[in-house]
Amino acid sequence: PPSTSSTRCAVGNSQRSSMDESEVGIRAFLSEATPGFAGVYKARYADFIVREVEPDGTVVRMRAPATRGQAAPPAGVEVPLEDAGARSALEALASEELEALEALAADTADNPRGTAPPVLLAVGGDKTARTAVHRAIRALFPALDSETAEGGLGIRVVSKVNARRAEPPGKRGRIDHGAWPGGADHKYVHFVLVKENRDTMDVIENLARVLNCKPSVFSYAGVKDRRAVTVQRLCAYKLLPDRLAGIEQRGTLGAGVRLGDMRFASKQIKTGELAGNRFTVVLRAVPAAELALVDAAARSIGAAGFVNFYGLQRFGNNPAAPTHHIGRALLRRQWREAIDLILAPRGGENAQVHVARTAYAKSRDPAECLRL
């Protein structure tokens, strides 16, 4: 029968070079006349680039990093003056004050009991402006509380005690409907996520923690590979774009995560709403004598295509513990074997994680591994 490969190609992951297709039952090839060649892929995570393709065929790319004011209100959206004043109140603050306010909200997400020091905002003696700042803080940062200070010239902002339990589920981290700049018909914010060597859900959970909201606020068309550079669309429900911009500008999520191209949208991005993914793959350690075979294989793929099925990438990146062995142990209820395989040491991972895996392989003591 046709196989998962269009050519005979002994391309293996650098961390499982001892594993080939025959070990997982792949023994036939679509193009029997084309000989294979040896090589290594994913030697580095940057060797595997994945760009999401939108339903209309557009390849997703990061065109502009997130900045405050990037997502303009949709055309035709009229905002009452009092609401506009409440939203613009925080924009009048000094940039360092706004950053301190967002940092306090992020710290509150990590420590809901409110032990972080307060933030003092200088707002002057204008009572109207001061009231607008109070309202904006209540709308944008429901886990924080504010009070007038400095004889009416400032506002003191503190963390609410047990903020996560005090606020109604689903409200935390989002603005109320009356102050939403997208209008009634544009309740979503679409933006582009570029991540390097990170899992999609890990990034979403970190975003939710920093923004003090639930992960369910975010949606996506599909998860992307961890060990790769990936570009995809994300969607947030009624989450102010400027808060995402603050994360991007401060680099809160680390150098391997970037946000950009924010815009208001009327529809949610749902799982499966994509035409596919476009891959750029770097092959290394291909012998010079086999370059002609690489060219022949590429021409074969161009002429005959390939069978879009399962290949070695579905069997994990650890030759000592391939994922189908883990699955077999689970089906047999061999829990100890399954755990040992999952925690087996592997190459190319975080050094601290590797030390913990190696310690577990020797002692089988989870407590000891957590102490390392």
Side-chain angles (χ1 to χ4, degrees), residues 269-289:
I269 295 176
K270 297 182 179 180
T271 302
E273 289 184 345
L274 73 167
N277 296 289
R278 176 170 292 181
F279 298 91
T280 302
V281 181
V282 176
L283 300 180
R284 298 181 183 273
V286 178

Side-chain angles (χ1 to χ4, degrees), residues 1-10 21 26-32 34:
S3 78
T4 63
S5 299
S6 61
T7 62
R8 293 181 181 275
C9 180
E21 285 86 352
I26 301 173
R27 297 184 176 88
F29 296 85
L30 186 63
S31 179
E32 293 289 346
T34 305

Side-chain angles (χ1 to χ4, degrees), residues 143-271:
L144 304 181
D145 201 2
S146 62
E147 60 184 5
T148 302
E150 301 293 311
L153 299 178
I155 290 178
R156 182 173 177 268
V157 185
V158 297
S159 301
K160 290 181 180 179
V161 177
N162 297 321
R164 286 179 182 263
R165 291 191 292 273
E167 294 295 335
K171 180 181 178 182
R172 292 190 291 269
R174 299 204 302 272
I175 191 169
D176 64 76
H177 178 77
W180 178 245
D185 296 328
H186 294 77
K187 299 179 182 179
Y188 300 96
V189 174
H190 291 188
F191 59 100
V192 172
L193 165 68
V194 178
K195 61 180 183 66
E196 300 179 8
N197 206 26
R198 295 281 297 273
D199 179 76
T200 301
M201 290 309 303
D202 172 58
V203 172
I204 288 177
E205 288 171 0
N206 274 271
L207 274 172
R209 176 183 60 80
V210 171
L211 294 168
N212 192 29
C213 64
K214 289 186 175 182
S216 58
V217 167
F218 300 94
S219 59
Y220 47 85
V223 296
K224 307 302 178 193
D225 301 76
R226 181 189 68 82
R227 188 173 171 77
V229 177
T230 70
V231 186
Q232 68 183 110
R233 298 168 300 146
L234 287 188
C235 172
Y237 175 69
K238 295 189 74 174
L239 188 65
L240 279 177
D242 284 1
R243 298 192 65 196
L244 294 169
I247 290 176
E248 167 66 18
Q249 292 171 346
R250 293 193 306 274
T252 306
L253 300 181
V257 177
R258 287 170 289 160
L259 311 176
D261 299 336
M262 301 182 299
R263 64 181 180 86
F264 291 104
S266 59
K267 295 183 178 180
Q268 180 185 22
I269 295 176
K270 297 182 179 180
T271 302

Side-chain angles (χ1 to χ4, degrees), residues 52-61 63 275:
E52 187 170 277
V53 181
E54 297 186 53
D56 64 359
T58 302
V59 179
V60 178
R61 300 179 185 276
R63 291 178 171 80

